[in-house]
Amino acid sequence: MKPDQESLPLLQRLHERVFADPEVRAVLDAGFAQLALELESRLEPPHATCTVPIALFTGAGQDLMAAASEDPVTGGRHDQVRLCRLFLLRRGARMAVPERHLNSVQRLVSYRGNGRICQGVPGGGSMELRARAICSPGAKGSVRNDVARAASSGLARHWDIVPAGVWHYPEADGGEDWATVTFHSAAEGEIVDELCNEG
């Protein structure tokens, strides 16, 4: 779903860490390079994923999870950021089946390339998902003033939010592999991922 006004302060902080912090960029670029090698070594599935340390997103001794107790925007359990995953999807491909994260809100930013998140509605099934295009900062068709301080309207072009328990799948444009950074409200050892088995 398109980010709303309430979600923008947290997304702005994450956006700045992802795109403006050289240390974070170096780790993300290295992770995506590894995922590209993994994709080159096989045809299926058309995606690869890995986890990066959530500690990367610690700033001034206070991480985004700890900020939840002080910031009304991140005050709820589902508004915390406790897991970061990189996801690389082969150009022109889509994830084979929809998935959902039963106990985690997913916040996703387009890091490189463009694509669509096809998403259902809370309580809905996996068969009627609507597509929403998101693009990377600086990508053709995106408005780019300053990557690190994107305007609120710009953030909505680069970010998507999937509520807990909602079916979704990514679909990459044909120009290049689509690299996304996803943030989850559930931690690595707690998140419950489910793939759709309807068919």
Side-chain angles (χ1 to χ4, degrees):
M1 70 181 204
K2 183 176 180 179
D4 58 16
Q5 282 299 120
E6 189 174 306
S7 65
L8 291 176
L10 175 59
L11 297 186
Q12 181 68 56
R13 290 196 299 274
L14 290 170
H15 197 87
E16 290 175 10
R17 297 293 288 169
V18 168
F19 292 103
D21 187 298
E23 177 188 359
V24 171
R25 293 286 304 239
V27 172
L28 299 181
D29 288 340
F32 282 122
Q34 283 297 114
L35 295 179
L37 290 174
E38 188 178 325
L39 279 186
E40 287 175 12
S41 70
R42 59 176 162 77
L43 291 177
E44 294 295 331
H47 64 273
T49 187
C50 69
T51 300
V52 296
I54 197 65
L56 271 180
F57 301 92
T58 300
Q62 183 179 36
D63 66 20
L64 293 162
M65 184 177 86
S69 62
E70 300 170 12
D71 186 343
V73 174
T74 59
R77 184 177 184 280
H78 285 300
D79 291 327
Q80 297 176 1
V81 174
R82 303 179 66 212
L83 171 64
C84 179
R85 290 175 173 165
L86 306 185
F87 190 87
L88 186 64
L89 181 61
R90 190 172 286 123
R91 69 188 72 190
R94 62 162 277 191
M95 194 166 168
V97 296
E99 70 171 348
R100 62 182 175 175
H101 314 292
L102 294 176
N103 62 338
S104 183
V105 174
Q106 174 182 282
R107 294 169 180 85
L108 172 145
V109 66
S110 185
Y111 186 75
R112 187 173 55 246
N114 300 306
R116 289 161 297 288
I117 298 297
C118 301
Q119 182 177 157
V121 296
S126 63
M127 303 312 284
E128 295 181 18
L129 309 185
R130 300 183 70 183
R132 179 174 177 269
I134 60 172
C135 60
S136 300
K140 185 176 180 182
S142 73
V143 177
R144 179 180 178 179
N145 294 326
D146 178 2
V147 169
R149 298 205 173 273
S152 295
S153 60
L155 283 176
R157 295 174 56 84
H158 311 309
W159 286 82
D160 191 75
I161 300 173
V162 180
V166 170
W167 292 106
H168 62 282
Y169 67 84
E171 186 173 51
D173 287 351
E176 63 181 312
D177 293 348
W178 190 25
T180 58
V181 183
T182 63
F183 296 93
H184 289 274
S185 60
E188 176 69 14
E190 300 171 355
I191 192 167
V192 180
D193 299 321
E194 181 181 1
L195 294 176
C196 177
N197 59 10
E198 294 179 7

